[in-house]
Amino acid sequence: MVRGLDVSASAPLKTSTPAPSILPFIPLVGFMPCRTLPNELLRMIFVHSVQARRKCEFPPVAVSSTPIAISHVCHRWRELAIAEKQVWAMFCIESANASTASLLQLWLHRSKDSQLSFYVSACIDGEGLSKPEEKPYRRAWFYSALEILFAAQHRWKNVFLDIWRFEPENAPEFLKVRPSSSIRSLGF
């Protein structure tokens, strides 16, 4: 007999006690398997969760993205996620809004001195916006985000810029890409 089960080879499987109709409530407070994981393993999991296999899989610079979600689980996860600079060194910007520039500054601050891998895909003139009333502001929001990115050009590693309706001759001075030994790939 093992825990009320007859496990002998010749006997059919039978329980010695009837199964309860309702499973008893077992409080799990204090026993969470993820709480027993070492910090180093959690950091590895966090980094793996944001690593992109393709450029379109980078986590967006948004309040609903993976790095923000991880940092809002509990105090321990917040401290670990904020301290792990690789969690913040990969991102994408697919549209710009009023909070994009400030969120991008947060990403760059938390990524510390890490090399950056990112994907930017946006339409500068606001074509196809779900909120047409934002169209006059879209270019300013987008340029604000780009200005922040171009100021950190020395940290670029893998970069893909997909900017529609972009007119290079009318572009601000900060949009000039300077040669850098840290850039591994740069696509337009």
Side-chain angles (χ1 to χ4, degrees), residues 48-61:
H48 183 71
S49 72
V50 298
Q51 285 180 333
R53 305 309 178 265
R54 298 183 307 254
K55 64 182 179 271
C56 60
E57 293 179 350
F58 286 126
V61 173

Side-chain angles (χ1 to χ4, degrees), residues 82-94:
I82 290 173
E84 183 52 57
K85 59 187 179 180
Q86 290 303 314
V87 168
W88 306 94
M90 295 170 265
F91 54 87
C92 75
I93 299 174
E94 293 183 308

Side-chain angles (χ1 to χ4, degrees), residues 4 11 16 27 30 37-38 48 66 76 78 105 109 118 132-133 138 149 167 170:
S16 59
L37 293 174
H48 183 71
T66 302
R76 177 180 174 219
R78 180 173 178 77
Q105 287 176 326
H109 174 73
F118 61 90
E133 66 276 7
R138 183 56 57 112
L149 281 175
E167 301 165 352
N170 298 330

Side-chain angles (χ1 to χ4, degrees), residues 67-131:
I68 297 289
I70 289 170
S71 68
H72 282 74
V73 170
C74 65
H75 181 72
R76 177 180 174 219
W77 282 31
R78 180 173 178 77
E79 287 182 349
L80 291 172
I82 290 173
E84 183 52 57
K85 59 187 179 180
Q86 290 303 314
V87 168
W88 306 94
M90 295 170 265
F91 54 87
C92 75
I93 299 174
E94 293 183 308
S95 66
N97 59 43
S99 64
T100 302
S102 60
L103 284 170
L104 181 57
Q105 287 176 326
L106 175 71
W107 252 253
L108 294 179
H109 174 73
R110 289 183 177 175
S111 66
K112 299 175 179 72
D113 60 347
S114 295
Q115 289 187 313
L116 305 171
S117 294
F118 61 90
Y119 171 62
V120 176
S121 175
C123 183
I124 288 187
D125 72 358
E127 189 72 28
L129 288 177
S130 59
K131 298 178 181 176

